[in-house]
Amino acid sequence: MMKPSVLRITGILFLLLILKASQAQFSVEPFDPATADPAKDGIIYSLPRNVLRIEIDVVKKEEFKGPYSQYSTRLLGLTDVIQENTISFSLGDVRISSYAEPDPRLTYFIDLGNKSKKAASMLLSLSDEGYITGFSEVQNADQGKAKARQPVVSGETDNIRPFRDLLKPVMIEKVDTIFRRINVDTISKVEKILKKSILEKMPEQQAKEIADQIYKIQESKFNLISGDQEVNYSRESIEYMISKLSELEKEYIEMFKGTSIVKVETHVFYVTPQSSPEGYLESICRFSKATGISEKSSASGEAVNLVVTPVTMSKSMETFINQRNRVEKKLKGLYYRIPCKSVVSLRLGGGVLYEEQRNISQMGYVTFLPASGIGDVQFHQSSGSLIKLITE
């Protein structure tokens, strides 16, 4: 259901490349380990792709029937009473973020074998993941990294007992008086014997005692509020006593009305959308009100689908770039991305849980720069698209 959370977020992924010297000339080609010439001098780099991190909050509600629910209406006049123990689930907040990682299908080799001897030197720095990060000065390629957040899943508590034992002991002492007549010769006397035994209170008797306690608490609260007490308490003392009495009253009433426990469980999924002009659809899990989140292969519940729909793709642009990439050229410059804005949505059945527009790099196009005549070039850190370009 969840991908391993060992993916790392690189602080500066694909930030800057500046080629210093107008005479510099080089060739870039797709890197294929099976056909690459190990004798060539050059540098390997990758273009980034975007990974979506999806967080889904699931609200788990457990309802517990009160031990004296059957007496709720008769003794307290309560109508909204939990009649049985139940567990239900509902979907809460949904959050989607993205980060970049190297695209294994878009790795390139900068062939420096054709660089002119008269050209000025180039100093390129690469991050540990293969992104070009700077030029002409040594930069710390090991930028700050942050591990992806682990699914926070609220812990389960076994043997939950939601009701405090607010009763006095349910066993009561019964005292019977027995008279025994003793005859001594002609004298008769009566001896009084006390015989003790323990009897269990009936549930209705216990319920009546608790109901009496509730009425006494309510009376005490009324006396405090109305000022009908012998001691002149301060305002702070009265507020404190009323709050404590209200807490105790609530716990007593829950023994008739029932109580509920609500927990929020966060499930985290990682999805890497695949490039497609028609868009991308993937089922990430299933959801049921009875069982909550389950594996996408589960037979229960409805599918929760991630849908990525490109909105800025142009068929004519795609045709032109494909034709340009197929043109046989002796030398090609750095490859870069033209990202595509897409609608990212999370859906359950016919409902939309989350929707927004964001750039998804792999939904766009890939093409290349000229091999020469280019001065300063700057790329976007998370998409590999052009930010700045200076021609000579």
Side-chain angles (χ1 to χ4, degrees):
M1 179 169 62
M2 291 180 240
K3 292 187 178 179
S5 56
V6 298
L7 297 174
R8 297 180 299 168
I9 305 173
T10 303
I12 298 179
L13 297 176
F14 196 87
L15 180 59
L16 180 66
L17 168 64
I18 297 182
L19 303 179
K20 188 83 170 180
S22 59
Q23 297 118 329
Q25 190 178 50
F26 57 91
S27 176
V28 181
E29 57 189 30
F31 177 73
D32 184 356
T35 60
D37 185 358
K40 285 187 176 181
D41 293 327
I43 301 170
I44 299 173
Y45 76 95
S46 298
L47 290 178
R49 66 180 180 184
N50 297 126
V51 180
L52 297 177
R53 186 177 192 271
I54 305 166
E55 298 178 66
I56 303 176
D57 289 343
V58 177
V59 181
K60 179 182 180 181
K61 184 177 182 181
E62 296 180 87
E63 292 187 330
F64 299 90
K65 176 184 175 182
Y68 307 115
S69 59
Q70 58 183 323
Y71 308 108
S72 299
T73 303
R74 182 158 60 88
L75 296 180
L76 297 176
L78 300 176
T79 55
D80 184 16
V81 177
I82 297 174
Q83 298 296 339
E84 59 182 6
N85 296 340
T86 60
I87 299 178
S88 62
F89 297 84
S90 62
L91 292 177
D93 293 337
V94 175
R95 298 171 295 277
I96 297 181
S97 58
S98 63
Y99 63 92
E101 70 174 13
D103 191 333
R105 299 174 304 172
L106 297 178
T107 303
Y108 299 94
F109 182 77
I110 304 175
D111 186 359
L112 301 178
N114 296 319
K115 183 174 175 292
S116 171
K117 294 182 179 180
K118 297 181 180 180
S121 299
M122 296 184 296
L123 176 61
L124 305 177
S125 60
L126 301 178
S127 72
D128 57 352
E129 292 190 348
Y131 294 106
I132 300 175
T133 57
F135 80 103
S136 76
E137 62 181 4
V138 178
Q139 297 186 7
N140 184 9
D142 194 14
Q143 301 289 343
K145 301 183 178 73
K147 292 185 179 180
R149 200 175 77 177
Q150 297 285 349
V152 179
V153 180
S154 301
E156 296 293 336
T157 303
D158 294 329
N159 301 321
I160 296 177
R161 298 188 61 185
F163 303 106
R164 266 179 45 188
D165 188 2
L166 302 176
L167 290 172
K168 297 177 181 179
V170 298
M171 308 304 291
I172 59 176
E173 182 181 87
K174 178 185 176 183
V175 179
D176 294 329
T177 300
I178 302 174
F179 293 92
R180 185 174 64 181
R181 183 174 299 276
I182 303 175
N183 295 319
V184 179
D185 295 334
T186 59
I187 300 173
S188 179
K189 69 176 183 179
V190 175
E191 183 180 30
K192 184 178 180 180
I193 300 174
L194 299 180
K195 180 182 179 182
K196 296 183 179 181
S197 60
I198 302 298
L199 298 178
E200 183 178 0
K201 294 178 183 178
M202 299 299 292
E204 184 174 359
Q205 185 179 359
Q206 299 174 42
K208 286 180 179 179
E209 290 185 4
I210 297 177
D212 289 340
Q213 290 296 325
I214 293 174
Y215 289 129
K216 288 179 181 179
I217 291 173
Q218 293 174 347
E219 182 181 358
S220 299
K221 289 170 60 179
F222 176 78
N223 291 336
L224 286 171
I225 295 172
S226 62
D228 188 14
Q229 68 271 338
E230 296 179 359
V231 180
N232 187 20
Y233 296 108
S234 65
R235 176 181 174 181
E236 291 76 12
S237 297
I238 292 176
E239 290 178 349
Y240 176 78
M241 287 188 288
I242 289 176
S243 67
K244 291 300 180 182
L245 286 172
S246 297
E247 290 177 8
L248 186 59
E249 179 188 13
K250 179 177 179 293
E251 294 186 24
Y252 276 133
I253 290 177
E254 285 178 347
M255 301 188 76
F256 292 89
K257 189 176 182 179
T259 188
S260 61
I261 298 175
V262 177
K263 300 177 183 178
V264 178
E265 303 172 345
T266 301
H267 299 261
V268 182
F269 305 87
Y270 296 92
V271 180
T272 305
Q274 302 302 313
S275 175
S276 173
E278 293 78 23
Y280 178 78
L281 169 67
E282 180 175 340
S283 177
I284 63 172
C285 64
R286 301 185 77 86
F287 172 77
S288 167
K289 291 183 179 180
T291 59
I293 292 289
S294 58
E295 297 281 350
K296 61 183 179 181
S297 58
S298 173
S300 63
E302 287 188 279
V304 178
N305 296 319
L306 175 71
V307 182
V308 180
T309 307
V311 295
T312 60
M313 293 191 74
S314 167
K315 193 65 179 177
S316 57
M317 171 73 78
E318 181 182 6
T319 301
F320 172 78
I321 290 178
N322 289 337
Q323 291 175 347
R324 183 174 185 266
N325 290 343
R326 285 196 295 266
V327 172
E328 292 295 333
K329 287 191 175 183
K330 183 177 181 181
L331 300 176
K332 293 181 181 179
L334 292 168
Y335 282 79
Y336 67 96
R337 281 193 183 276
I338 303 175
C340 174
K341 188 172 290 295
S342 303
V343 175
V344 178
S345 62
L346 196 68
R347 302 176 184 178
L348 174 65
V352 177
L353 305 175
Y354 176 97
E355 185 171 273
E356 73 166 356
Q357 286 193 5
R358 62 170 63 235
N359 282 332
I360 303 297
S361 299
Q362 54 268 38
M363 288 293 177
Y365 316 100
V366 177
T367 189
F368 54 87
L369 293 172
S372 60
I374 300 296
D376 296 344
V377 181
Q378 183 176 346
F379 296 92
H380 193 275
Q381 62 179 8
S382 62
S383 66
S385 61
L386 283 174
I387 295 178
K388 183 175 70 172
L389 175 77
I390 298 177
T391 60
E392 299 295 339

